[in-house]
Amino acid sequence: MQWPWPRPLGINSGPSRRAAAAAAAAAAKKDKKQMSEGELQQLRLKINSRERKRMHDLNIAMDGLREVMPYAHGPSVRKLSKIATLLLARNYILMLTNSLEEMKRLVSEIYGGHHHHAAAAVAAYHPSACGAMSHGPPLPGHPVGHPMHHPLLPSTAATLATTGITAVRAAPPPPPPPAPIPQAPHPASHGLLKSPSPGSAPLGGAFPHWSGMPCPCSMCQVPSAAHHHVSRLSADSK
DNA sequence: TAGGCCATCTGGTCCT
DNA sequence: AGGACCAGATGGCCTA
């Protein structure tokens, strides 16, 4: 259907329209009364199946969203819940927007309005790899000694906290960190791990971290947020 | 055991 | 009319 966004209330929903719909529903009900039990059951199964498919598609889309989120991926890592995924995605978008604005501002400061050079500088400074979150070794032109603000600043976990949502089974009362959170190395107790093994790469090496930047994951945004719950991975694939 | 998350079923509503 | 979307109800699974 061509309505991939929530339908605003009130569209085409005047009293007459509603009455018509109600009448149609009533008629359908009457038809259903005339249907045999078997036919009714067939119809129900068909509708249920459609709904299942719809929800599966929704989950696939949700998985797609998880894949591009700056968050741990991998078999040993528990999946973000749906609500956490959406909230993290929102913050991620806000962060990228802020990042872009900040970048523009810096560039225009540096180049003092020479837009041509400024644009080139932006391209060189902020390669697309940054957006792809593949932060391995520093990229050419991608400063390692980034000021403490890679603007992943709107804290996901903070938002989650303010919305009363626990990101990935957040552990209770996270004392809010006053300032930028120290990033490296990740504590072994980072969470989302099946069995935190000291010495092994945090998060199984699955988590892309910026060198010299705050970690974007909600784990780091709020200490002790999100722990355990790995076994649901298997349950999720039921 | 309580609480969180999820899948599924179901009826209502709206759109094409 | 048929399909999509939505929200409430229900029950299962899992963890603290």
Side-chain angles (χ1 to χ4, degrees), chain A residues 4 8 14 33 54 58 73 93 103 111 118 125 128 134 144-145 155 166 186 189 194 213 221-222 226 229:
Chain A
K33 273 186 182 173
R54 196 181 70 85
L58 183 64
H73 306 267
I93 291 169
M103 211 64 74
Y111 290 91
Y125 180 87
S128 60
S134 51
V144 177
S155 158
T166 55
H186 262 277
S189 59
K194 250 176 187 162
M213 296 182 206
Q221 297 287 328
V222 171
H229 264 261

Side-chain angles (χ1 to χ4, degrees), chain A residues 148-235:
Chain A
M148 280 314 278
H149 283 21
H150 187 285
L152 265 174
L153 295 183
S155 158
T156 293
T159 298
L160 292 177
T162 57
T163 50
I165 303 291
T166 55
V168 199
R169 311 272 179 185
I181 302 138
Q183 314 113 43
H186 262 277
S189 59
H190 189 288
L192 294 181
L193 278 175
K194 250 176 187 162
S195 51
S197 52
S200 66
L203 297 172
F207 194 88
H209 282 95
W210 289 267
S211 39
M213 296 182 206
C215 173
C217 73
S218 55
M219 302 291 86
C220 295
Q221 297 287 328
V222 171
S224 83
H227 287 299
H228 333 306
H229 264 261
V230 259
S231 54
R232 279 194 66 92
L233 271 177
S234 53

